[in-house]
Amino acid sequence: DRTARMWHVQTTVEFRIFQEHAREVLTVAFSPDGKYILTGSDANARLFSVATTLEVRQYSGHVDRVRAVAFSPDGVHLASGSDIGKIRIWEVLPSGEEKILHNGHWEETAEDSTETRGFFIEDDGGFQKPMEYWIGAMVFTPDAKMLITGSRDNTIRFFEMPTMNELRVVRGHNGWVRSLVVSPDGKVLISAGDDNTIRFWDIAT
């Protein structure tokens, strides 16, 4: 319904609604201090004040839909991942400046050198090209030193922060990686995918 909503856990009463989205909301994340939420809907990531429900800032740059968002635990950066597999790193506030654009899971080939994967063609009733690099999930480690992403290409990728140097690619899932969680001690990554499995990974190895 193009909204994000906040609920009291104990009473299940809804007490905040965040609107202004042009399309359905695909992802949401809390800031570490609990003062903001970040959403992905169309080609923008949007930052809202929890206190007022007003939009504070838009992070614009993707040419396709924002499928995954995450705050760094130190609250300095946020990450957004898109339909075509690209990743953008932003300064949260005050500037909202884009720091890095990274190809992420997207692989440029001779047949596909453009960013047209994310555009939906109404007349044709489908997407221009298969989006096999679509980012399904992203999470920072608790020490903010790594960003970990999962994709429709079945891989999990580890990136060093804040440079976004790729550290490793992990393969194990036989389907789209939809969700990622890191344990509070930062030692274990848990992934869930379209292959109906949940997998536990030793982050160090």
Side-chain angles (χ1 to χ4, degrees):
D1 60 0
R2 302 181 180 182
T3 70
R5 295 167 187 261
M6 194 172 294
W7 313 77
H8 280 293
V9 174
Q10 299 297 328
T11 64
T12 70
V13 172
E14 176 188 314
F15 69 102
R16 293 282 191 281
I17 181 169
F18 305 89
Q19 303 185 75
E20 308 301 329
H21 299 95
R23 300 183 68 177
E24 64 268 28
V25 180
L26 303 171
T27 181
V28 63
F30 256 117
S31 64
D33 61 10
K35 293 181 178 179
Y36 304 98
I37 68 162
L38 181 69
T39 64
S41 173
D42 46 27
N44 304 307
R46 287 178 162 84
L47 188 71
F48 292 88
S49 164
V50 170
T52 67
T53 73
L54 297 178
E55 183 179 291
V56 177
R57 181 173 294 279
Q58 285 190 27
Y59 303 89
S60 304
H62 289 287
V63 297
D64 47 340
R65 301 197 69 182
V66 175
R67 290 274 165 183
V69 294
F71 278 100
S72 63
D74 56 14
V76 174
H77 296 104
L78 64 86
S80 57
S82 71
D83 278 355
I84 61 170
K86 293 200 173 186
I87 298 167
R88 293 174 187 265
I89 305 295
W90 315 79
E91 181 182 82
V92 178
L93 291 172
S95 73
E97 179 185 353
E98 180 184 304
K99 295 296 186 180
I100 295 175
L101 168 61
H102 194 283
N103 277 347
H105 292 255
W106 184 64
E107 296 179 10
E108 183 174 331
T109 65
E111 295 77 27
D112 182 14
S113 60
T114 65
E115 294 191 353
T116 57
R117 291 179 177 271
F119 289 106
F120 189 80
I121 308 302
E122 297 289 353
D123 294 341
D124 296 340
F127 291 99
Q128 284 182 310
K129 297 179 181 179
M131 295 181 291
E132 65 255 43
Y133 309 123
W134 199 326
I135 292 180
M138 49 178 37
V139 65
F140 284 92
T141 52
D143 60 8
K145 292 183 178 179
M146 278 194 293
L147 174 68
I148 306 172
T149 61
S151 170
R152 196 173 186 174
D153 66 5
N154 304 351
T155 69
I156 298 168
R157 295 174 187 259
F158 292 70
F159 299 95
E160 183 180 37
M161 286 295 294
T163 62
M164 281 296 290
N165 292 327
E166 187 174 280
L167 299 174
R168 66 180 73 99
V169 180
V170 172
R171 293 176 173 84
H173 283 284
N174 297 312
W176 186 357
V177 181
R178 295 271 189 175
S179 186
L180 297 170
V181 177
V182 174
S183 61
D185 62 8
K187 294 181 178 180
V188 177
L189 172 71
I190 306 171
S191 61
D194 278 6
D195 58 358
N196 302 335
T197 68
I198 298 171
R199 297 170 186 257
F200 287 67
W201 309 84
D202 185 325
I203 289 178
T205 64

